[in-house]
Amino acid sequence: MTNNKKDITTLGQLKKTDYKSRSVKDELRENLIKQLQKGEGGFEGIVGFEDTVIPDLQTAILSRHNILLLGLRGQAKTRIARLLVNLLDEWMPYIEGSELYDDPLAPISWFGHHEVLAKGDDTPIAWVHRSERYTEKLATPDVTVADLIGDVDPIKAATMKLTYSDERVIHFGLIPRAHRGIFVINELPDLQARIQVSLFNILQERDIQIRGFKLRLPLDIQFVFTANPEDYTNRGSIVTPLKDRIESQILTHYPRSVEISRKITQQEASLTDEQRATVEADGLVKDLVEQIAFEARNSEYIDKKSGVSARLTISAFENLVSNAERRMLINHEASTFVRISDFLGVIPAITGKIELVYEGELEGPGKVANILIGKAIKTLMLQFFPDPEKSKKAKAPNPYAEIINWFSDGNNLSLVDELPQQEYKKNLNSVTGLKALVKKFHPRLTENQDLLLMEFVLHGLSEFSQLNKGFLDNGFAFSDMFNSLFNLQPDEDDLDIDDDRY
């Protein structure tokens, strides 16, 4: 075909090119074949599905199947569906003025047939970009057949003096208007069963019924549906005959490693250029954010059927950076770095994105969030430092002994949200043996990384019950474990976890 498609403005000119009519599924298939032969990915931005979901999706496209993406929330189902647009031709010709983007060589509507019959090779041709060939509808209980399929327009019938059985009085719904394109229904089980039934003939026989008038429209559509597993969705389910007509069901999943999850978060997190320039976020805190999600997906307090969305880690990381930025602005500092104490700012991002079981409801979302953060710290502690429990029982000298002894001597340490960097540094350096421990196991770090790991050690030791960690309104207080256990009158600073600000 000519390089400048805008030069082709009539059916006669189009016939002189190498253009051939083909279905949208054939179009997707042929373009995918070209991508695979060139070794191109085709689904940029989708991370962690290279060996699982993407091969299944490509197989379904090669088979020219309608597709159901089945998985828990936050598993990139809608993102995948939207990326299918990249497999369409960049430009597509259609009969100018057609509501249904009629193929000039194979029109299906009354308008398309009439234009070609009346004007022949002079039929005007227009071009539509592939971005306009994608239609998406979120399934909600109030969706009607008229929304999806169409309805008779009495005003049209009266104005044009036509009977209701005439195709020209129909106001077409979203599905007919998606002719020669991709149509996506998100959360399919939320559609009422009677609405799902209306899709049967479209998927199989490709005819539609409006107000009892049967209309044969050979619609050419690539359908993509998304849904949560039926055992979780209590609002409805996919009716069996409809599910039977969807040829390929592809299961999605959450990231299977912290590395992949971290890559997704860093790709999707919305940070300003100013935040990236002034707030340093070390790899440790990035991994901690991801580990929180992994702990949540295995927590006895959280409903596993509801899932823990990838949006949790994205929102949590954004909050983490913003909490550090807030402290920097309050203290009039030029730059700062994310501390472990900044994870207090992550709690609002966690509580809104987890669905608790009965035991979790008893604990409360704030306490569950704190528990998840603690478990994440405990897991990563073993990757950076020796196991405190094993070190305590080992014959070799305990590397944590000097730190624990400092607290045993009656010393306490408070680390609050808004602590200026110099005071934060001074407080951590006051703990005997803390900096030496970090330098022993991680000798080549920057000063900020040293301070971060020093605080991390204190949180880690508290998770292994070597130190007591009290929750303040705006931070944490560390003290000796045994003195706290036997102290019947706790200090005002040592508040119970139930009394923290969340």
Side-chain angles (χ1 to χ4, degrees), residues 15 74 123 184 228 243 287-288 332 336 404 409 453:
K15 286 178 178 179
T123 302
V184 177
N228 285 326
K243 205 170 183 181
D287 284 351
L288 264 178
H332 306 290
T336 190
I404 295 170
D409 291 338
L453 280 180

Side-chain angles (χ1 to χ4, degrees), residues 210-467:
I210 296 175
R211 297 275 181 174
F213 299 108
K214 189 170 182 179
L215 177 66
R216 182 72 178 174
L217 273 183
L219 293 173
D220 176 24
I221 300 172
Q222 170 68 58
F223 282 96
V224 180
F225 305 96
T226 73
N228 285 326
E230 290 184 62
D231 59 347
Y232 164 60
T233 308
N234 55 18
R235 296 157 299 201
S237 61
I238 305 173
V239 296
T240 305
L242 176 59
K243 205 170 183 181
D244 183 57
R245 285 169 167 81
I246 304 171
E247 297 94 337
S248 284
Q249 176 178 289
I250 298 171
L251 301 179
T252 58
H253 57 81
Y254 287 121
R256 293 177 175 172
S257 70
V258 168
E259 292 75 21
I260 292 173
S261 185
R262 173 173 161 178
K263 188 174 180 180
I264 294 170
T265 300
Q266 297 307 307
Q267 172 183 283
E268 300 298 324
S270 178
L271 301 181
T272 66
D273 292 337
E274 190 177 9
Q275 285 177 319
R276 295 182 190 278
T278 58
V279 181
E280 175 188 335
D282 188 73
L284 168 60
V285 296
K286 291 176 180 177
D287 284 351
L288 264 178
V289 168
E290 308 307 328
Q291 191 62 42
I292 290 170
F294 278 80
E295 299 293 343
R297 289 170 192 145
N298 294 315
S299 173
E300 67 273 22
Y301 297 120
I302 294 173
D303 187 356
K304 293 178 175 60
K305 291 179 182 179
S306 76
V308 178
S309 169
R311 286 182 281 270
L312 182 148
T313 56
I314 296 166
S315 299
F317 183 71
E318 291 168 350
N319 266 17
L320 193 64
V321 172
S322 296
N323 199 73
E325 181 186 33
R326 174 181 171 275
R327 180 183 61 252
M328 177 189 75
L329 295 172
I330 289 172
N331 293 323
H332 306 290
E333 296 171 339
S335 63
T336 190
F337 64 95
V338 176
R339 306 170 184 173
I340 305 299
S341 49
D342 286 321
F343 275 82
L344 279 175
V346 166
I347 294 175
I350 299 174
T351 53
K353 291 181 174 58
I354 54 176
E355 192 164 329
L356 303 178
V357 295
Y358 178 71
E359 292 79 1
E361 294 288 356
L362 291 178
E363 296 290 343
K367 185 170 181 179
V368 169
N370 275 310
I371 291 171
L372 295 177
I373 294 170
K375 285 187 175 182
I377 291 172
K378 187 173 183 178
T379 299
L380 288 192
M381 178 75 173
L382 301 179
Q383 298 179 22
F384 285 81
F385 296 98
D387 187 333
E389 291 179 348
K390 291 182 179 178
S391 298
K392 188 176 181 180
K393 299 173 184 177
K395 294 181 180 179
N398 184 353
Y400 304 105
E402 200 171 358
I403 300 169
I404 295 170
N405 290 339
W406 186 84
F407 286 99
S408 299
D409 291 338
N411 296 304
N412 297 298
L413 178 69
S414 295
L415 296 174
V416 296
D417 259 353
E418 300 171 8
L419 203 61
Q421 186 152 332
Q422 289 304 315
E423 289 186 42
Y424 175 76
K425 177 181 176 181
K426 179 183 176 183
N427 287 2
L428 288 173
N429 283 329
S430 68
V431 180
T432 306
L434 186 54
K435 186 171 184 178
L437 174 80
V438 171
K439 284 295 184 185
K440 177 181 178 181
F441 293 100
H442 302 278
R444 300 175 182 175
L445 299 179
T446 64
E447 182 182 52
N448 287 349
Q449 290 173 321
D450 282 339
L451 293 173
L452 174 65
L453 280 180
M454 287 165 72
E455 184 186 358
F456 177 68
V457 168
L458 297 179
H459 286 271
L461 288 174
S462 73
E463 295 303 324
F464 281 94
S465 301
Q466 308 289 305
L467 294 177

